[in-house]
C-alpha cells in the first residue's frame, strides 16, 4: 500500500440530489477500514492518494464493499459516534497533498511535517498540525488562489445551505469560545436570539466562511474517491449513528427536537443496559430525541439526514437499530447506565416515511444487543438485513443463531466489528476456553490462523454479505483494536501499517471471493 498512484484529479462536488438507492441483495464481500486508519505521512489517514491506492487493493482482491465509520467531525474522545454535526465531513480527512495539487498550498507548506507515530493517530498533534494549514488554504483561496474552484464553491454553498450555514456558524462560535460547549456560551447565543445571532454572524464572517470552505474541500475529495470506487465496481457502506452529540450544530440549531431542560441540559440521556461489553451498561450521554416533535414534522430532519448520507455512500449501516423500536432512557446525572427504562420509539412510522420519500432503503440494521421479537418484526417488516458476529457464535452449541449453518441469506456476517476485539485478540484473550475449543472443532483448525479461518467461514456462509475488518486480514492482536466500548479514551487511533496490504493478501482474498461466489 505504500506505492503511489498517478495524479488524482478531484471531480467537481455535485449537489446532494435524490440518491440512487435500492435494496441490498447482491452477494458480495467487503472490508471494514475507517479512512483515519489509512497509512500516510501526516499523522492520520486522509482522502488522498493512499485512499485511492486502497480502492485499487480492494479491486485487485475482488472486494466489492468498503465499509467506513461515520465520516463527520469528531468531538469528545475523538469518537466518530460523537460528532459536531450529523451532516458535515471531518476536515482532518482532507488530503494536504491534493490541496497542493489544487494550488491552495505550496510544497514548502509540507516541508516540515512532525514525526507522527506510524501505527496510531495522535489526534491532538494532528489537529495542531493540520488546522493551521487548512486555514492557510482558505486564506489563499480568499486571496484569489485556485480560481477554478470559485464557481464550484458557490454552487456547493447553495446546494448545502440547509445544514452548512448552521454548522459553519456553530464551529466559528465554538472557536471564538475556546471550544466550550454551546450551552456555556453567552445566553443570547445559546438561545439563538435573532439580534445576537446577526451581530455574531457579522463579527465572525471570515471564520464562518473558512468552515464552509473546509466542508467544500472534504466533499470534493470524497466525491473523487467515491467515483474512483464506483469505477472499480466497489460500493461504500457508511454509518448513521442513531443519536447525535449534545455538543453539536444539530442540537444547538434545533433544541426543540431533543429532551432538554430550561437550562439546555439534557433531562435524560442515551445508553444501553448491562451487556456483553460492560457489566454496568454503556452510558453514551447523548440527548434523546423528542420523537413527538420529529413526528409532527413528518420526520423532516431524519429524511434530510438519510438523503445527505446516501449522497455520500451507497449503503447505510443503521447503528443501534433496536433503539428505533424502543430505547434505553437514563436520567441525566446517573454515573452508569444501570438505572433506566425502555421507552417505545416510532421506528415503524419513521422507516415508512423514509421509504416513501426516498424509495427502497439500502440499509443494514445493526441489530446487536438486547433484541426482542418486536425489534425482529420491525427489521423484517422492512426486509432489512441484520448483522451477525462470528466471535459471538461459539458461546453455546450448534443451535446458536450466529453460526453460519443457521443463517438466512438476508444477513451481513462479520468476523467482528469496530466494537469487538480483533479476532486474534478475541481468540487469545477475550474468549473462554470453551469458546476456543468449540471454534477449533467447528472450523477444523488448530487455531494458528484463527482470523483467516473466520474470514473464510464468513465468505463461505450463505449470508448475502460478508464483511471483515482489515485488522483480521492482517491477523493482528488486541493492540490493533479500534474501540473498547465503555472506555473513555484511547480508542479510534489504530492505523494500518504502510505496505501491509500486499499482493499476496489480495490474491488470497480474490481466491475466496471466486470460490464462494462473492
Amino acid at each position: 500500500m505504500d506505492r503511489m498512484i498517478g495524479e488524482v484529479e478531484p471531480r467537481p462536488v455535485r449537489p446532494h440530489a435524490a440518491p440512487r438507492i435500492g435494496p441490498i441483495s447482491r452477494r458480495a464481500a467487503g472490508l471494514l477500514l475507517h479512512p483515519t486508519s489509512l497509512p500516510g505521512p501526516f499523522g492520520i489517514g486522509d482522502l488522498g492518494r493512499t485512499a485511492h491506492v486502497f480502492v485499487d487493493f480492494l479491486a485487485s482482491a475482488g472486494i466489492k464493499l468498503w465499509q467506513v465509520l461515520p465520516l463527520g467531525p469528531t468531538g469528545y474522545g475523538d469518537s466518530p459516534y460523537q460528532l459536531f454535526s450529523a451532516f458535515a465531513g471531518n476536515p482532518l480527512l482532507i488530503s494536504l497533498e491534493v490541496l497542493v495539487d489544487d494550488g491552495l498550498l505550496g510544497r514548502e507548506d509540507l516541508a516540515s511535517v512532525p514525526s507522527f507515530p506510524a501505527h496510531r493517530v495522535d489526534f491532538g498533534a494532528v489537529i495542531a498540525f493540520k488546522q493551521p494549514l487548512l486555514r492557510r488554504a482558505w486564506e489563499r483561496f480568499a486571496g484569489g488562489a485556485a480560481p477554478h474552484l470559485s464557481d464550484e464553491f458557490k454552487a456547493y454553498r447553495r446546494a448545502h445551505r440547509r445544514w452548512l450555514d448552521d454548522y459553519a456558524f456553530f464551529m466559528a462560535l465554538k472557536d471564538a469560545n475556546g471550544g466550550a460547549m454551546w450551552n456555556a456560551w453567552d445566553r443570547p447565543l445559546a438561545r439563538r436570539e435573532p439580534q445576537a445571532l446577526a451581530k455574531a454572524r457579522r463579527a465572525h464572517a471570515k471564520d464562518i466562511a473558512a468552515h464552509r470552505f473546509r466542508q467544500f474541500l472534504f466533499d470534493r475529495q470524497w466525491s473523487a474517491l467515491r467515483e474512483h470506487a464506483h469505477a472499480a465496481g466497489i460500493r461504500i457502506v457508511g454509518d448513521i449513528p442513531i443519536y447525535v452529540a449534545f455538543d453539536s450544530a444539530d442540537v444547538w440549531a434545533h433544541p426543540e427536537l431533543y429532551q432538554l431542560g430550561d437550562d439546555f441540559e439534557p433531562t435524560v440521556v442515551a445508553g444501553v443496559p448491562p451487556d456483553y461489553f460492560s457489566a454496568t451498561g454503556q452510558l453514551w450521554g447523548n440527548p434523546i430525541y423528542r420523537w413527538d416533535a420529529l413526528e409532527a414534522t413528518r420526520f423532516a430532519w431524519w429524511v434530510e439526514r438519510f438523503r445527505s448520507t446516501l449522497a455520500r455512500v451507497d449503503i447505510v449501516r443503521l447503528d443501534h437499530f433496536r433503539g428505533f423500536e424502543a430505547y434505553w432512557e437514563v436520567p441525566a446525572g446517573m454515573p452508569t447506565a444501570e438505572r433506566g427504562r425502555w421507552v417505545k420509539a416510532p421506528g415503524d412510522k419513521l422507516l415508512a416515511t423514509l421509504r416513501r420519500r426516498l424509495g427502497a432503503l439500502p440499509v443494514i440494521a445493526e441489530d446487536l444487543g438486547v433484541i426482542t421479537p418486536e425489534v425482529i418484526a420491525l427489521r423484517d417488516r422492512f426486509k432489512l438485513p441484520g448483522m451477525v458476529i462470528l466471535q459471538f457464535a461459539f458461546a453455546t452449541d450448534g443451535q446458536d443463531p450466529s453460526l453460519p449453518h443457521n443463517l438466512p441469506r438476508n444477513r451481513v456476517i462479520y468476523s467482528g466489528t469496530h466494537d469487538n476485539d480483533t479476532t486474534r485478540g478475541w481468540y487469545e484473550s477475550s474468549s473462554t476456553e470453551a469458546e476456543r475449543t468449540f471454534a477449533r472443532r467447528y472450523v477444523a483448525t488448530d487455531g494458528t490462523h484463527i482470523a483467516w479461518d473466520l474470514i473464510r467461514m464468513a465468505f463461505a456462509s450463505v449470508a448475502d454479505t460478508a464483511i471483515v475488518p482489515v485488522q483480521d486480514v492482517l491477523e493482528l492482536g488486541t493492540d490493533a483494536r479500534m474501540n473498547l466500548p465503555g472506555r473513555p479514551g484511547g480508542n479510534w487511533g489504530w492505523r494500518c501499517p504502510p505496505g501491509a496490504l500486499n499482493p499476496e493478501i489480495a490474491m488470497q482474498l480474490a481466491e475466496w471471493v471466486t470460490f464462494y461466489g462473492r
Side-chain angles (χ1 to χ4, degrees), residues 140-162:
R140 288 180 179 170
F141 177 76
H148 62 287
L149 299 180
S150 181
D151 288 343
E152 265 188 68
F153 180 44
K154 291 176 183 176
Y156 180 82
R157 283 184 56 184
R158 289 193 299 269
H160 299 278
R161 63 183 180 275
R162 295 183 68 171

Side-chain angles (χ1 to χ4, degrees), residues 283-299:
L283 187 64
W284 299 332
N286 306 74
I288 291 177
Y289 300 109
R290 282 190 54 204
W291 283 108
D292 59 335
L294 285 162
E295 190 173 348
T297 69
R298 299 180 183 179
F299 303 107

Side-chain angles (χ1 to χ4, degrees), residues 124-143:
V126 167
I127 290 169
F129 169 68
K130 290 195 81 168
Q131 282 192 349
L133 291 174
L134 295 175
R135 181 74 186 195
R136 191 173 304 167
W138 158 248
E139 290 170 348
R140 288 180 179 170
F141 177 76

Side-chain angles (χ1 to χ4, degrees), residues 293-367:
L294 285 162
E295 190 173 348
T297 69
R298 299 180 183 179
F299 303 107
W301 183 85
W302 272 103
V303 170
E304 287 307 309
R305 188 181 189 189
F306 259 81
R307 194 190 306 276
S308 178
T309 302
L310 287 169
R312 285 194 178 126
V313 303
D314 304 293
I315 300 165
V316 168
R317 171 190 177 272
L318 190 53
D319 179 57
H320 195 54
F321 181 78
R322 78 99 56 244
F324 292 96
E325 193 281 325
Y327 55 89
W328 188 247
E329 178 183 279
V330 181
M334 289 291 104
T336 72
E338 294 170 279
R339 290 182 56 190
R341 63 171 186 151
W342 290 107
V343 181
K344 287 290 184 181
D348 196 300
K349 293 179 180 178
L350 171 63
L351 291 171
T353 299
L354 291 169
R355 186 170 62 182
R356 185 171 62 254
R357 295 287 303 276
L358 302 176
L361 297 174
V363 167
I364 298 168
E366 189 274 284
D367 55 348

Side-chain angles (χ1 to χ4, degrees), residues 333-414:
M334 289 291 104
T336 72
E338 294 170 279
R339 290 182 56 190
R341 63 171 186 151
W342 290 107
V343 181
K344 287 290 184 181
D348 196 300
K349 293 179 180 178
L350 171 63
L351 291 171
T353 299
L354 291 169
R355 186 170 62 182
R356 185 171 62 254
R357 295 287 303 276
L358 302 176
L361 297 174
V363 167
I364 298 168
E366 189 274 284
D367 55 348
L368 307 175
V370 182
I371 302 304
T372 64
E374 292 82 3
V375 177
I376 294 171
L378 178 64
R379 179 198 69 197
D380 292 348
R381 190 152 53 248
F382 289 89
K383 297 181 172 58
L384 306 179
M387 288 175 52
V388 172
I389 309 299
L390 272 175
Q391 290 180 22
F392 296 161
F394 306 104
T396 54
D397 55 26
Q399 303 303 312
D400 193 296
S402 296
L403 286 169
H405 67 266
N406 291 325
L407 297 181
R409 291 185 60 183
N410 193 30
R411 290 291 181 273
V412 183
I413 186 170
Y414 294 80

